[in-house]
Amino acid sequence: MINKQPLRIRTITEYHRVMGLPKPEHPLISVINFESVKRLPNDGSISLVFDFYSISLKRNFNAKMKYGQQQYDFDEGIMFFMSPGQVFGIEFDKEQEPKHSGWLLLIHPDFLWHTPLAKAIKQYEYFDYSANEALYLSEKEEATIINLVQNMEQEYRSNIDKFSQHIIIAQLELLLNYADRFYHRQFITRKITNHKILDRLEDILTAYFGGDNLSGKGLPTVQYIAEALNVSPGYLSGLLKTLTGQSTQQHIHDKLIEKAKEKLSVTDLSVSEIAYELGFEHPQSFSKLFKTKTNLSPLEFRQSFN
């Protein structure tokens, strides 16, 4: 576990210097071949935080990377997306020379100024998945991404003119859209892992709503559920929408309605008492949600059993 204070790297030029690389050809964007990175600290671990975006694809890395909630080994192509301010760590054997293949694309936010992507890049949810999930690529997908990165590198290495930024931005936006597609594919193809998350979600909600102190705790939040599953709220929402068509909040409400139906059908508690027991401060809010979900008021649902 890497617990030391992270090393903050504020510029792409500083990253090149720290890693023993030549000065970047462009101060705001850089494509780096990992095989050229030889310099790492000699105490066996490092924790880093960047003030710029990084998109990387790693292979055959003889170290372990702590990325959000998970630790990764690298026997296949894995992509990571990190926005400024996110922390990651690397642990490696001090007796071995570090080796890995792949590439790293660094983009400073200043490079995106006065372009639509400056705002749009924050809407790509996988930049928040750093709390959990990397992207596993097929060989075909990897070839597609590498081709786009090489196009960007070629563009900034050639003679810069008034078209260069627009061309690079277009290639970057295409890369981000492909990554969005590949993440949704991953939600579907990694069915075993994803269905385990669904099973655990069901267990967490059942335990929460089965507790005796629901009125004191209130309704579970999306943040609470995500933390219990060791995933980020954005990742969980994307996964659930892909697999079930519903958001995390909708799953919480479904379990709530299931519990409400049970109380309405097998107890003599009033609607207000049931609302308070289920964590609602105002019975009207409970009744409104129940009607929205079932097309019946709580009283109408209870009367249907008589």
Side-chain angles (χ1 to χ4, degrees):
M1 185 71 68
I2 300 170
N3 295 316
K4 60 175 60 180
Q5 186 71 20
L7 172 63
R8 190 171 204 102
I9 299 182
R10 301 189 181 280
T11 67
I12 292 173
T13 300
E14 183 181 355
Y15 177 88
H16 275 244
R17 185 175 65 252
V18 168
M19 297 299 172
L21 297 167
K23 185 178 178 180
E25 295 191 36
H26 193 294
L28 300 180
I29 183 169
S30 182
V31 174
I32 298 164
N33 186 329
F34 277 124
E35 292 180 3
S36 63
V37 178
K38 301 298 183 183
R39 180 187 296 175
L40 286 173
N42 57 13
D43 63 354
S45 67
I46 185 172
S47 185
L48 298 169
V49 57
F50 299 156
D51 283 358
F52 40 83
Y53 292 97
S54 75
I55 301 172
S56 60
L57 190 148
K58 292 176 178 284
R59 273 186 179 281
N60 307 315
F61 191 20
N62 63 342
K64 293 183 178 180
M65 182 170 173
K66 182 73 164 109
Y67 178 70
Q69 301 297 324
Q70 294 190 15
Q71 189 164 274
Y72 294 90
D73 297 307
F74 299 88
D75 56 353
E76 56 185 318
I78 301 180
M79 281 191 80
F80 298 91
F81 296 81
M82 288 186 289
S83 55
Q86 294 177 341
V87 180
F88 69 98
I90 302 170
E91 292 181 343
F92 55 93
D93 188 343
K94 292 185 291 184
E95 306 302 320
Q96 291 185 348
E97 180 180 347
K99 64 176 184 178
H100 52 335
S101 59
W103 52 263
L104 174 66
L105 171 63
L106 304 176
I107 310 108
H108 197 281
D110 290 358
F111 186 77
L112 307 178
W113 274 4
H114 307 303
T115 73
L117 191 56
K119 182 178 181 180
I121 194 171
K122 299 174 183 177
Q123 297 172 3
Y124 289 94
E125 292 180 332
Y126 46 74
F127 276 108
D128 292 328
Y129 295 167
S130 60
N132 175 261
E133 186 70 2
L135 174 59
Y136 294 81
L137 297 180
S138 68
E139 289 186 9
K140 184 177 179 181
E141 291 168 348
E142 186 175 331
T144 298
I145 296 295
I146 288 176
N147 182 60
L148 291 168
V149 172
Q150 289 173 339
N151 289 344
M152 284 184 269
E153 182 180 22
Q154 181 179 346
E155 185 61 35
Y156 78 71
R157 286 182 182 274
S158 63
N159 294 326
I160 299 293
D161 57 29
K162 66 177 183 179
F163 300 102
S164 298
Q165 183 189 27
H166 297 295
I167 291 172
I168 292 172
I169 292 291
Q171 296 289 321
L172 175 58
E173 193 162 17
L174 187 56
L175 184 152
L176 297 176
N177 285 328
Y178 269 116
D180 212 8
R181 169 188 280 180
F182 298 157
Y183 260 114
H184 281 78
R185 179 270 305 156
Q186 180 165 293
F187 288 149
I188 296 169
T189 56
R190 297 183 68 200
K191 288 183 179 178
I192 295 177
T193 299
N194 294 335
H195 283 216
K196 285 181 180 177
I197 290 179
L198 285 177
D199 291 341
R200 289 169 57 209
L201 170 65
E202 180 68 19
D203 291 343
I204 289 167
L205 289 175
T206 298
Y208 194 99
F209 282 103
D212 296 329
N213 192 31
L214 191 57
S215 59
K217 295 185 295 184
L219 296 176
T221 64
V222 173
Q223 184 70 36
Y224 169 85
I225 299 297
E227 288 179 358
L229 290 169
N230 283 329
V231 300
S232 69
Y235 177 78
L236 180 59
S237 178
L239 171 64
L240 293 177
K241 285 181 180 177
T242 299
L243 294 179
T244 69
Q246 294 196 114
S247 67
T248 310
Q249 190 68 60
Q250 288 171 314
H251 277 270
I252 293 172
H253 286 165
D254 283 350
K255 180 60 68 172
L256 169 72
I257 296 302
E258 179 184 313
K259 193 71 177 177
K261 286 180 176 179
E262 177 186 320
K263 290 181 178 290
L264 286 165
S265 59
V266 301
T267 75
D268 294 325
L269 295 171
S270 70
V271 172
S272 293
E273 288 172 329
I274 291 172
Y276 290 130
E277 282 199 0
L278 292 177
F280 283 86
E281 293 184 15
H282 306 290
Q284 299 92 329
S285 299
F286 165 68
S287 296
K288 182 178 179 180
L289 177 63
F290 193 93
K291 181 85 180 262
T292 299
K293 286 287 188 179
T294 67
N295 292 322
L296 295 171
S297 70
L299 284 178
E300 289 170 337
F301 177 83
R302 170 170 275 171
Q303 290 167 358
S304 69
F305 282 87
N306 298 326

